[in-house]
């Protein structure tokens, strides 16, 4: 089984009640359940973390390859646009990461158009709602198989 680290950044614990017009009605628990179902079919074991704290996210990324994770699926949420520390953590570990967003960050406010994280990721998926996570996990599964 390939171990995959899934990271949800700040405020994503509020999905389902947070700005429903932008992020939809699905809760984080429901998104995680969909990811778990896909992972089971594809011989992947997920470790899912949600944190509102930048340092905690940096710690978990920094530890990831030692903990034998094969890849990282991350929605850095607001840290996408602010965090050099999360970017540097991803750059520091020798495993691929995919960045995902529920909303299309390029169709929103100007300050969301810059991702500090995307340049150190294998790729970015943005704008497909909860399906962004599914597409991201599928992409990582293919990357691992082909590496
Ligand atoms: C988000 C987009 C970010 O700009 C925002 O800060 C979030 C959620 C998304 O999934 O669409 O919290 O990452």
């Amino acid at each position: 089984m390939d171990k995959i680290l899934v990271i949800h950044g700040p405020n994503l614990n509020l999905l389902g009640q947070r700005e429903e017009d932008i992020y939809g009605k699905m809760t984080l628990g429901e998104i995680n359940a969909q990811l778990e179902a896909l992972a089971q079919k594809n011989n992947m074991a997920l470790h899912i973390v949600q944190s509102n704290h930048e340092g905690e996210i940096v710690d978990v990324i920094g530890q990831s390859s030692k903990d034998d994770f094969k890849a990282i699926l991350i929605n850095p949420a607001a840290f996408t646009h602010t965090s050099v520390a999360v970017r540097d953590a991803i750059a520091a570990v020798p495993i691929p990461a995919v960045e995902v967003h529920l909303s299309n960050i390029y169709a929103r406010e100007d300050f969301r158009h810059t991702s500090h994280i995307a340049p150190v990721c294998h790729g970015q998926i943005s704008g497909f709602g909860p399906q962004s996570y599914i597409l991201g996990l599928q992409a990582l599964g293919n990357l691992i198989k082909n590496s």
Side-chain angles (χ1 to χ4, degrees):
M1 280 232 179
D2 290 321
K3 283 174 67 181
I4 311 287
L5 178 61
V6 179
I7 301 174
H8 304 287
N11 300 309
L12 294 172
N13 53 316
L14 301 177
L15 287 178
Q17 62 187 75
R18 171 193 184 204
E19 298 182 278
E20 274 181 34
D21 49 323
I22 297 172
Y23 299 118
K25 286 189 187 347
M26 204 178 268
T27 65
L28 193 61
E30 289 165 340
I31 290 174
N32 288 339
Q34 289 193 346
L35 288 173
E36 290 285 13
L38 179 65
Q40 271 183 18
K41 282 189 209 142
N42 290 279
N43 208 34
M44 296 186 272
L46 304 185
H47 177 65
I48 302 178
V49 176
Q50 190 279 323
S51 178
N52 296 325
H53 305 281
E54 188 176 12
E56 200 176 326
I57 292 174
V58 168
D59 283 345
V60 87
I61 294 169
Q63 188 61 28
S64 60
S65 67
K66 280 182 232 132
D67 285 347
D68 204 31
F69 287 105
K70 292 285 184 291
I72 301 172
L73 181 68
I74 182 166
N75 182 348
F79 293 147
T80 306
H81 320 296
T82 62
S83 182
V84 176
V86 172
R87 175 203 173 107
D88 286 353
I90 291 173
V93 293
I95 56 174
V98 166
E99 175 185 336
V100 299
H101 298 284
L102 296 155
S103 62
N104 178 353
I105 57 173
Y106 302 100
R108 299 183 62 195
E109 302 95 326
D110 285 354
F111 68 86
R112 295 186 204 275
H113 297 179
T114 300
S115 170
H116 291 306
I117 313 302
V120 293
C121 288
H122 196 89
Q124 183 201 60
I125 297 164
S126 175
F128 295 93
Q131 215 203 338
S132 292
Y133 282 98
I134 299 294
L135 294 168
L137 189 58
Q138 285 171 339
L140 281 177
N142 290 337
L143 268 182
I144 293 167
K145 262 186 227 140
N146 297 329
S147 68

